Amino acid sequence: MRLLVFGTHAYEKDVFLKHADPQKHDLVFLEARLSAGTLPLVRDADAVCIFVNDKVDAEVIAGLHERGVRLILLRCAGFNQVDLKAADRHGMTIARVPEYSPYAVAEHTLALMLSLNRRLHRAWLRTREFNFNLGGLMGFDFHGKTVGVVGFGRIGQCVARMMNGLGCRVLVSDPVADPDPAYTFTSFDELIRATDVITLHCPLTPTTHHLIDADAFAAMKQGVMLINTSRGGLVDTVAAIQALKTGKLGYLGLDVYEEEADLFFQDLSDRVIPDDVFARLMTFPNVLITAHQAFFTAEAMDRIATTTLTNLDGFADNSINPQNLVHGEHHA
Ligand code: NAI
């Protein structure tokens, strides 16, 4: 099977080649992301493989179908970048990697929390300059604090366990998950009102878009910490900047950003950044941003490559694990 892998970086190519079987897998690696503009690159392919910021709308789906592609492989868990209804209409199979390492994302979430609290990003800059002054670096004990986990799926559950381990009281909001006696399940409104730290682990859907908006910030405790390692669109960034300016938001840790498609996964260090909202965000000392790297561990990358190749093999004999398939109704 011939698979075009869009938006490839060297680190992904190496892992895919490590796991590919040259007898079965004809992999073509492309640096370009898949979009309407790059459709002409699709020639003689059975399938395409994409990541989080490729744009697979109805036009792209129709174009892929016209070029004979019947399978789209997502080498990620989220699928908000694909028009699933259009894919269904064209009989396109979409397969993803629903779980590669919840630990990778959960551990990165913890790293953001602890770094922000103890201001490691600022302390590191100081000690490099032989400035050993502690002014402005005072943190707080996580032990005894109340932490809110929004979304109790694979990643949210790992984070909840870790916070328990630190001696925190954990509140959980999830409209679907079965209650777990180790944690207090509550409504989203109560969770944001009662917690010192809020961490987001629910998917981005039309109902969760800007889940954290100006009203949500208004309801939170003064000086709250907010961590988003899920999807950028969950947080209204302009409202977050307002909350940072008033001190309502005391700490903000982001691994995702709503307009990240134009920024992340590339070196823009010698460019002028046209996104004023992002540029403003970078000026706050209590904001720590990583560029969608929470998933990025060796274990997760191996799992992403092997599951994607297994999905490719499964398409040929109709044996893709049903849990890896994504359909139009996932949008509901
Ligand atoms: P999952 O599907 O196992 O769990 C998501 C949970 O969110 C489910 O239990 C669901 O019921 C719950 N949920 C849905 N709507 C909700 C709402 N309005 N309020 C509260 N809970 C709600 O997903 P998983 O694997 O835990 O991943 C969570 C998110 O993390 C993904 O949707 C993805 O966007 C993001 N992610 C980010 C990565 C990164 O590198 N930064 C890597 C992998 C995933």
Side-chain angles (χ1 to χ4, degrees):
M1 297 270 285
R2 189 146 207 257
L3 175 67
L4 300 189
V5 187
F6 276 89
T8 326
H9 295 92
Y11 49 79
E12 293 171 300
K13 187 175 171 183
D14 292 346
V15 181
F16 267 90
L17 289 177
K18 180 170 99 182
H19 295 289
D21 175 351
Q23 307 295 326
K24 284 196 293 186
H25 306 130
D26 179 8
L27 303 185
V28 179
F29 296 98
L30 302 167
E31 281 182 26
R33 286 184 189 160
L34 179 58
S35 67
T38 57
L39 267 176
L41 294 172
V42 179
R43 266 179 267 120
D44 305 325
D46 301 295
V48 295
C49 178
I50 61 162
F51 194 49
V52 293
N53 288 323
D54 297 78
K55 195 165 184 292
V56 186
D57 55 16
E59 183 187 353
V60 173
I61 301 272
L64 290 172
H65 189 266
E66 217 176 274
R67 287 164 172 78
V69 172
R70 297 291 178 269
L71 172 65
I72 300 175
L73 295 171
L74 311 182
R75 54 182 191 280
C76 54
F79 43 80
N80 52 289
Q81 72 280 49
V82 182
D83 184 332
L84 297 177
K85 297 223 162 91
D88 273 2
R89 279 200 303 279
H90 285 88
M92 192 76 80
T93 301
I94 313 278
R96 64 174 177 147
V97 186
E99 182 183 356
Y100 31 91
S101 172
Y103 314 108
V105 183
E107 288 168 17
H108 192 78
T109 302
L110 185 65
L112 285 175
M113 285 179 188
L114 297 180
S115 301
L116 272 168
N117 173 29
R118 307 308 292 267
R119 301 172 204 275
L120 296 187
H121 53 304
R122 304 192 66 207
W124 179 77
L125 288 172
R126 281 191 199 181
T127 51
R128 287 182 77 223
E129 299 288 329
F130 300 96
N131 172 359
F132 306 119
N133 189 338
L134 298 186
L137 299 183
M138 187 159 58
F140 59 81
D141 285 4
F142 261 89
H143 183 92
K145 294 293 180 295
T146 306
V147 176
V149 177
V150 180
F152 197 63
R154 286 167 278 243
I155 297 168
Q157 288 176 37
C158 285
V159 172
R161 277 198 300 274
M162 288 175 184
M163 302 325 293
N164 236 1
L166 290 185
C168 299
R169 178 171 169 250
V170 179
L171 300 191
V172 174
S173 92
D174 189 313
V176 175
D178 292 330
D180 178 326
Y183 314 107
T184 305
F185 279 67
T186 186
S187 66
F188 172 75
D189 290 348
E190 174 58 16
L191 180 146
I192 57 170
R193 206 187 54 72
T195 46
D196 304 295
V197 176
I198 299 167
T199 181
L200 305 178
H201 302 291
C202 59
L204 177 62
T205 65
T207 32
T208 60
H209 180 255
H210 284 188
L211 182 69
I212 307 292
D213 58 9
D215 289 344
F217 282 118
M220 292 176 193
K221 280 190 181 181
Q222 187 69 18
V224 65
M225 177 186 287
L226 175 67
I227 306 289
N228 185 10
T229 59
S230 193
R231 282 293 178 266
L234 295 176
V235 177
D236 177 344
T237 316
V238 172
I241 288 173
Q242 252 341 89
L244 284 161
K245 283 163 80 174
T246 63
K248 174 66 119 175
L249 184 53
Y251 312 79
L252 177 63
L254 298 178
D255 186 52
V256 287
Y257 167 59
E258 47 185 333
E259 303 300 334
E260 70 177 52
D262 295 331
L263 295 170
F264 289 2
F265 304 116
Q266 50 195 326
D267 180 359
L268 302 180
S269 54
D270 61 354
R271 307 266 185 90
V272 172
I273 300 296
D275 182 336
D276 290 349
V277 172
F278 188 76
R280 179 67 177 105
L281 214 45
M282 297 295 288
T283 65
F284 293 97
N286 50 350
V287 172
L288 181 51
I289 301 176
T290 52
H292 209 134
Q293 73 172 79
F295 73 98
F296 197 44
T297 64
E299 290 82 355
M301 291 300 288
D302 280 337
R303 189 90 185 267
I304 286 171
T306 53
T307 307
T308 302
L309 293 170
T310 307
N311 286 341
L312 179 65
D313 295 341
F315 180 70
D317 60 5
N318 217 8
S319 67
I320 298 181
N321 180 344
Q323 286 184 344
N324 298 358
L325 292 172
V326 192
H327 303 287
E329 61 268 24
H330 277 100
H331 255 324

